[in-house]
Amino acid sequence: LSDVLSNSTGCILGFLCFFLWDIKCKIINHSSDSIRKELHVIIIGFVMFAFLISISLQWESSLNNWDRTFPLLLGNERTGDRPWQGYVSELFIADKAISETEVAQVFSKMNTFDIIGRSLIASYQFTGIENYHDERGNSPDLVWRGETRDIQQREGVLLGRNNWLETEAPAEYLTKRIVATSQFTIGIVVATGDTIQTGPARIISLSEDTGHRNFTLGQSGSDLIFRLRTPFSEENGVKPILTVPGIFSTINPHNLIITYDGSALLLYVDGKLSSYSLEFNPGTVLFCSLFPQSTYSVKGYKAMHYVYSALIFVPLGILMTLTVKIMRKQFFIQIIINSIAILLPSLLFEGILISVSGRAIRVENLLIGMIFTISPMVFFRYIIPRTHKCFSSNKN
């Protein structure tokens, strides 16, 4: 993927630079008809390339490569070599990313089914010491593996080095529902029994072994770790990994909700949205593919999105500026053309990403695209002409 992306991006940018130079020469020679035709070809070609490459990059964030044969596990891997020590008292899974309002309602102890409705596909309450049934009736029972516990020391189940829970059959229905939407919400109430567990120690995992998973919520030291399998992050979900520091610095219980809307992975801790998140946007996929050995912070992933947007919309803004300049239309018509040039690409770009990922529209993305489109227009239409006049007056 990285070779294809780097080669195609380099070729297109080189091709664009060549045509811009050719247009500059023709402007000097006053060859307006030829310029107009070439600009139309360049704009159409660039827009098609930008949208097609963005679609392929956003597709890398889907969950269509999840394996339906994996069981759901709490407290370990099937191989028994990633144990987690602690308590789990509640677990629910939905096939949509619930909103912040719905998250607040869940934390207020309202009935989860009343909030989420038919999107709720699994719900387990851990009381007693026997096997545990999915209250929705969709997923297999969670049964004990290793040594079973004969006592319950506090609310929930105690998981340890020698005992964990696993569905008695693959969680096929759950996986199928999530794959269909490429979204999910996982809610779990947990309390670690050891603040320095490593591995990461598996709290909840939909996986086969230590190298193959659909998702994993784990603990590494006092940090929360979340791995998610996508076509981009591959079978072990290791690029990138969501790491949230300090969640397990004490043994106090935490109510955790993790949502994924086809693009953004968010974490809510005890009702509050964490500042740590992951955004699987075209920029993230592109730059992590080109520089696979690099590590990035949350701000780094945000920066990737801005850089990618600049690569798309700044050249488009330059091309639209040239187009308007050679058209020599009336001022009112130029305003209409400029408005369309600023608004339409951002709307189309966001619409395409929504259709691929299934997420909701993001006003922030629209504004970023519009800013990067209008910036070269302002620069070439107003700043450069005034700078030239300044130089001219100094020479005189």
Side-chain angles (χ1 to χ4, degrees):
L1 177 61
S2 61
D3 291 339
V4 173
L5 290 174
S6 58
N7 291 336
S8 59
T9 302
C11 289
I12 293 298
L13 290 177
F15 185 72
L16 180 62
C17 289
F18 170 78
F19 268 99
L20 289 175
W21 176 260
D22 186 52
I23 287 170
K24 178 183 176 182
C25 295
K26 288 178 178 177
I27 288 176
I28 295 172
N29 295 325
H30 305 287
S31 182
S32 298
D33 292 337
S34 178
I35 294 170
R36 193 177 296 113
K37 292 178 182 178
E38 290 190 11
L39 272 175
H40 291 162
V41 172
I42 295 170
I43 291 173
I44 293 172
F46 181 78
V47 168
M48 289 181 63
F49 166 77
F51 286 176
L52 287 174
I53 198 69
S54 297
I55 289 171
S56 64
L57 290 171
Q58 189 64 66
W59 186 253
E60 293 289 309
S61 70
S62 70
L63 306 180
N64 62 355
N65 66 334
W66 276 27
D67 195 314
R68 298 183 184 182
T69 65
F70 292 168
L72 184 67
L73 302 113
L74 274 75
N76 215 327
E77 293 282 5
R78 297 185 78 180
T79 49
D81 53 355
R82 293 294 187 273
W84 178 76
Q85 299 179 66
Y87 288 90
V88 177
S89 57
E90 296 177 30
L91 170 67
F92 74 85
I93 302 175
D95 66 352
K96 75 169 186 177
I98 64 176
S99 66
E100 194 165 353
T101 301
E102 291 170 323
V103 169
Q105 292 173 338
V106 171
F107 281 115
S108 67
K109 299 300 181 181
M110 292 178 62
N111 185 282
T112 307
F113 180 75
D114 291 341
I115 300 166
I116 304 176
R118 296 184 180 276
S119 293
L120 183 65
I121 50 178
S123 179
Y124 294 92
Q125 298 293 324
F126 298 100
T127 57
I129 59 174
E130 301 297 329
N131 298 335
Y132 305 98
H133 305 287
D134 172 20
E135 295 182 350
R136 300 292 298 140
N138 297 321
S139 298
D141 291 352
L142 282 165
V143 299
W144 287 103
R145 299 289 187 240
E147 299 176 4
T148 58
R149 303 292 301 186
D150 57 359
I151 59 172
Q152 186 176 6
Q153 298 182 2
R154 56 192 277 190
E155 183 180 357
V157 293
L158 175 63
L159 305 170
R161 293 188 178 278
N162 300 314
N163 63 294
W164 66 93
L165 290 167
E166 177 184 335
T167 50
E168 57 187 357
E172 184 176 358
Y173 180 81
L174 182 151
T175 305
K176 180 181 177 181
R177 286 279 297 269
I178 292 176
V179 168
T181 61
S182 278
Q183 296 189 15
F184 62 77
T185 296
I186 301 168
I188 187 168
V189 179
V190 300
T192 185
D194 184 351
T195 59
I196 56 172
Q197 300 182 66
T198 59
R202 293 354 186 210
I203 299 173
I204 176 173
S205 190
L206 187 62
S207 58
E208 176 65 23
D209 50 42
T210 57
H212 302 83
R213 73 197 64 261
N214 292 336
F215 73 80
T216 289
L217 171 65
Q219 178 184 345
S220 180
S222 63
D223 299 345
L224 178 147
I225 302 293
F226 195 90
R227 295 181 181 179
L228 177 64
R229 177 177 181 169
T230 67
F232 168 63
S233 59
E234 300 176 350
E235 295 180 342
N236 202 15
V238 294
K239 62 171 192 179
I241 297 173
L242 176 63
T243 302
V244 185
I247 299 298
F248 302 111
S249 57
T250 70
I251 61 173
N252 296 329
H254 290 293
N255 195 335
L256 307 176
I257 291 181
I258 301 99
T259 69
Y260 183 69
D261 67 356
S263 177
L265 186 64
L266 305 179
L267 170 69
Y268 297 85
V269 183
D270 299 326
K272 297 180 180 179
L273 177 63
S274 170
S275 59
Y276 292 83
S277 62
L278 279 182
E279 179 80 20
F280 289 80
N281 54 55
T284 304
V285 176
L286 175 63
F287 289 105
C288 286
S289 298
L290 296 177
F291 309 103
Q293 303 303 321
S294 302
T295 56
Y296 302 94
S297 63
V298 174
K299 292 182 179 178
Y301 291 116
K302 202 76 172 177
M304 293 179 198
H305 177 56
Y306 294 149
V307 173
Y308 184 81
S309 297
L311 290 174
I312 298 295
F313 291 105
V314 169
L316 196 56
I318 294 172
L319 291 171
M320 295 308 299
T321 303
L322 290 171
T323 301
V324 173
K325 185 173 182 177
I326 66 172
M327 289 181 72
R328 303 184 186 282
K329 298 290 185 181
Q330 294 179 354
F331 180 73
F332 179 72
I333 296 177
Q334 287 192 10
I335 290 177
I336 295 176
I337 294 173
N338 281 327
S339 300
I340 294 173
I342 293 168
L343 291 172
L344 189 59
S346 294
L347 288 170
L348 288 175
F349 186 72
E350 181 69 2
I352 286 173
L353 298 187
I354 288 172
S355 67
V356 175
S357 65
R359 62 170 173 78
I361 189 169
R362 291 186 184 146
V363 177
E364 177 190 2
N365 290 347
L366 293 175
L367 293 175
I368 290 171
M370 291 166 61
I371 289 170
F372 281 128
T373 304
I374 199 173
S375 296
M377 291 182 171
V378 172
F379 184 77
F380 287 107
R381 288 292 300 276
Y382 300 105
I383 297 177
I384 292 242
R386 289 183 181 179
T387 304
H388 282 304
K389 286 180 182 178
C390 221
F391 282 130
S392 299
S393 62
N394 287 338
K395 288 180 181 180
N396 293 331

